[in-house]
Amino acid sequence: VYGKKTATAAEAHELLLKMVKDNVDPVVYSGTVLHFYFGARAVELGQNLAFAEIDWDNRSMLLQTAKTKVWRYLAWHPAITPFLQVWYDEIPLPRPDHWLTARIRRYKVSGLRMTTKLGRRTFETEERKLGVSQDLIDVILGHTNNRIGDVYMDWTSLQDDIRDVMENRHYMVINGIIS
């Protein structure tokens, strides 16, 4: 079906401003920021985050993908650390992915119902619009594909590129949504 499936950077910002105005629970707010920032699947920032190898000092982690169980490298902008710490410390169990989605679905921006999936789609769309390579976006999102070159690719060689995107070329950084 052809139709709008992502938020713009301005709409993501509007969602966060609405949440602040509503004095939303800090865990809900933090989870929402993280989903739009990392573009991760809800289960990855819910259940899988508890098993991530996090280096708080270097703002990086190895996080397992939900579908293939492959570990991927993620880095983040310094402004994300407090949100990640709140979410990590207070992950609502047993089903944080469903818990968060149920709370952010209450919000509509520009006619779009907000969801964690929308955060994932927004990340990919906004980063493409900023000219980030599809290969790099796929690595950050944990996408797998069947291109033969991927069999030989050393994805760890992209760590500096991933850090650059997440700290300097991220749509939430460029648009002043986080600072």
Side-chain angles (χ1 to χ4, degrees):
V1 175
Y2 180 78
K4 186 169 168 65
K5 295 180 184 177
T6 68
T8 63
E11 290 165 340
H13 193 206
E14 184 180 339
L15 166 64
L16 296 175
L17 291 174
K18 282 183 176 187
M19 289 180 149
V20 168
K21 182 181 175 207
D22 291 350
N23 199 27
V24 74
D25 181 294
V27 178
V28 173
Y29 187 84
S30 294
T32 304
V33 167
L34 295 176
H35 277 82
F36 277 82
Y37 186 80
F38 288 115
R41 293 174 182 91
V43 70
E44 292 167 353
L45 288 181
Q47 297 168 359
N48 294 8
L49 185 62
F51 305 105
E53 295 178 23
I54 301 176
D55 182 344
W56 293 100
D57 293 331
N58 292 314
R59 295 183 327 277
S60 64
M61 70 174 129
L62 293 176
L63 180 69
Q64 196 173 37
T65 63
K67 292 185 176 181
T68 63
K69 307 299 184 214
V70 171
W71 292 88
R72 71 181 186 271
Y73 173 84
L74 293 172
W76 63 86
H77 187 277
I80 293 299
T81 301
F83 303 112
L84 185 59
Q85 190 69 60
V86 165
W87 184 251
Y88 183 78
D89 290 345
E90 303 291 331
I91 295 174
L93 296 175
R95 296 299 307 264
D97 43 335
H98 295 291
W99 180 87
L100 182 62
T101 296
R103 278 147 186 85
I104 67 173
R105 285 186 65 88
R106 298 174 185 162
Y107 289 90
K108 251 184 161 174
V109 176
S110 299
L112 282 175
R113 177 88 43 215
M114 297 291 119
T115 65
T116 54
K117 180 76 166 183
L118 187 106
R120 183 169 175 80
R121 289 176 174 158
T122 298
F123 174 88
E124 176 149 3
T125 302
E126 290 297 308
E127 292 306 307
R128 273 191 196 188
K129 287 169 34 181
L130 289 171
V132 174
S133 77
Q134 188 61 51
D135 286 339
L136 200 49
I137 292 169
D138 287 345
V139 169
I140 293 168
L141 293 177
H143 288 162
T144 58
N145 55 53
N146 295 325
R147 294 182 309 196
I148 193 66
D150 291 347
V151 173
Y152 304 109
M153 178 66 184
D154 175 5
W155 297 109
T156 63
S157 67
L158 296 176
Q159 286 182 352
D160 290 340
D161 295 326
I162 291 169
R163 181 169 296 282
D164 178 54
V165 168
M166 301 305 280
E167 290 184 355
N168 304 312
R169 296 190 295 151
H170 194 287
Y171 77 96
M172 291 177 81
V173 173
I174 289 172
N175 288 284
I177 298 170
I178 60 162
S179 55

